[in-house]
Amino acid sequence: MNPDKAKEESSFLKVVFDQILLISTGKCSIDENQLVALEYDEEKLNTLAGLKMLHEDLELYKEEYRAKLDMEYKLKAQEKKNKDLEQFNYMASHDLKEPLRTVKVFSQLLQNNYQNLSDDKIEEYLNYINISATSMVKLLDSLLTYATVSDTIVKTKVDLNQTVNLLTKDLKTTIGDTIIEIKKLPTVQADETAIRQVLQNLISNAIKYRDPERKLAISITSCSSADKDTICVSDNGIGIHKDFQETIFLFLKRLHSKSAIEGCGIGLSVCKKLIENHGGEIWVESEVNKGAQFFFSIPK
Ligand code: ADP
């Protein structure tokens, strides 16, 4: 073959090869003017025109595939929402029934028998009614807090170093001489208020569930992959038994009695809702008496 012709063909092949690469990675569409400028003969033009058709078909296929994925994602999200709502209703009605029953029992006892009851007994029964009513109010507040966590998120660029620094300043009085180690954190695309709330809950829990036997140490670190940033808040506190590491994220689930450690069991369920609204996940790794590492991911 004439060396000039061979050179021309090999450079043409290179152009075609580059086009295939660009097309297959979705980075280009072939433009007619480009073809004219390249002054290819009809045969070559036909080949490139064929590539263009292939590209268009691929684009169409990608569109359809994206629409299908989108539909599947929406369906799954709706199924999950329904399941969450079912569980929320169950927990809410179950936990509300308990103080209501107490109020009912003791008010009936008072109503049916108050003439024969001593002042001390009357005071004791009224006290039970009072405690139950207070716990019902707290529960209703929790329900309201959980129910009003908005599904809508407004994403902006959030520099997590700034968020954590502000938070630790706010928590200064509670933190005391705690060692907080903060590694360089990423900037994420997220709802700033939501992410601040998640970090605040996790740091507050690390303080609340500290081990009284040792000085509290908290560390906040991150790791990033191509599609997500994962943040980890870890502590050296009392830890969580593996049997409860999933249930603690459920609404109103607590592992401690109110008298032992103050709390109402909604913090982590709110965190879960906020992170899932971002399309991320939240989970814990822990061993009893060896601290806990709470992780949450934010898709890029
Ligand atoms: P609350 O703290 O009000 O009980 P949360 O939803 O924040 O509610 O937490 C649920 C449960 O998870 C807590 O009752 C506690 O048992 C457990 N927990 C949360 N964070 C930690 C932690 N850092 N260390 C040990 N246990 C924890």
Side-chain angles (χ1 to χ4, degrees):
M1 191 193 278
N2 167 339
D4 283 347
K5 179 101 178 134
K7 212 169 155 196
E8 193 194 331
E9 293 218 336
S10 90
S11 69
F12 167 71
L13 277 175
K14 186 173 178 323
V15 172
V16 173
F17 182 70
D18 286 347
Q19 290 286 14
I20 292 176
L21 249 182
L22 288 174
I23 292 164
S24 63
T25 50
K27 284 183 190 148
C28 111
S29 63
I30 300 170
D31 158 302
E32 290 289 353
N33 295 330
Q34 219 180 321
L35 293 182
V36 174
L38 288 171
E39 291 177 1
Y40 286 124
D41 64 34
E42 217 180 311
E43 196 190 328
K44 294 172 186 173
L45 196 61
N46 275 345
T47 319
L48 283 174
L51 276 176
K52 188 182 174 193
M53 274 170 66
L54 174 72
H55 171 66
E56 276 168 2
D57 277 351
L58 276 173
E59 281 297 302
L60 205 70
Y61 169 77
K62 274 200 298 196
E63 281 287 300
E64 281 170 8
Y65 189 63
R66 253 184 236 129
K68 191 173 151 239
L69 281 186
D70 196 40
M71 178 60 89
E72 276 174 13
Y73 178 77
K74 281 187 182 144
L75 266 174
K76 268 201 188 132
Q78 190 55 46
E79 268 172 26
K80 204 185 158 306
K81 252 190 193 165
N82 292 346
K83 229 173 134 191
D84 282 354
L85 199 67
E86 241 174 61
Q87 190 257 332
F88 171 81
N89 288 342
Y90 172 78
M91 294 296 285
S93 58
H94 177 270
D95 278 47
L96 264 175
K97 269 184 198 149
E98 193 189 299
L100 255 178
R101 213 175 289 127
T102 313
V103 170
K104 199 171 161 207
V105 167
F106 285 102
S107 53
Q108 263 171 2
L109 277 174
L110 280 172
Q111 194 177 30
N112 299 339
N113 210 17
Y114 76 94
Q115 276 138 340
N116 305 322
L117 290 173
S118 67
D119 284 356
D120 280 353
K121 268 285 166 231
I122 292 178
E123 198 178 329
E124 190 189 327
Y125 290 178
L126 284 174
N127 203 25
Y128 284 132
I129 293 175
N130 200 3
I131 290 171
S132 299
T134 311
S135 107
M136 272 161 66
V137 171
K138 273 196 183 156
L139 208 61
L140 286 171
D141 281 345
S142 302
L143 286 177
L144 209 63
T145 311
Y146 185 79
T148 51
V149 174
S150 167
D151 281 344
T152 331
I153 50 169
V154 182
K155 284 191 184 179
T156 55
K157 269 190 180 171
V158 185
D159 179 351
L160 293 178
N161 301 291
Q162 267 182 22
T163 314
V164 169
N165 280 335
L166 286 176
L167 270 176
T168 45
K169 261 188 206 148
D170 287 351
L171 290 166
K172 200 90 203 142
T173 44
T174 348
I175 287 172
D177 61 349
T178 303
I179 308 158
I180 294 207
E181 183 195 19
I182 305 165
K183 290 270 165 68
K184 176 128 180 60
L185 301 173
T187 294
V188 292
Q189 278 289 336
D191 185 305
E192 189 172 11
T193 318
I195 295 302
R196 197 180 329 121
Q197 196 174 345
V198 171
L199 283 163
Q200 176 161 10
N201 268 325
L202 297 181
I203 299 172
S204 303
N205 276 351
I207 298 169
K208 189 155 66 164
Y209 298 102
R210 64 198 297 168
D211 184 333
E213 300 293 313
R214 52 182 174 248
K215 191 168 172 178
L216 172 63
I218 302 174
S219 77
I220 305 168
T221 53
S222 68
C223 74
S224 299
S225 65
D227 56 344
K228 62 179 184 252
D229 288 304
T230 304
I231 316 300
C232 172
V233 177
S234 80
D235 63 55
N236 61 347
I238 58 174
I240 303 152
H241 192 282
K242 67 173 174 18
D243 289 354
F244 305 112
Q245 288 174 9
E246 278 186 30
T247 48
I248 53 168
F249 293 97
L250 297 177
F251 180 66
L252 295 179
K253 271 284 177 203
R254 301 205 69 223
L255 306 181
H256 306 90
S257 69
K258 281 201 183 76
S259 52
I261 302 178
E262 188 58 35
C264 49
I266 63 158
L268 288 179
S269 58
V270 168
C271 290
K272 185 166 158 38
K273 202 169 169 185
L274 292 172
I275 293 299
E276 284 178 355
N277 283 348
H278 284 77
E281 284 178 289
I282 184 165
W283 69 99
V284 69
E285 289 173 13
S286 175
E287 254 185 77
V288 175
N289 293 330
K290 289 197 177 155
Q293 291 91 51
F294 280 87
F295 297 86
F296 66 87
S297 62
I298 312 262
K300 280 186 177 165

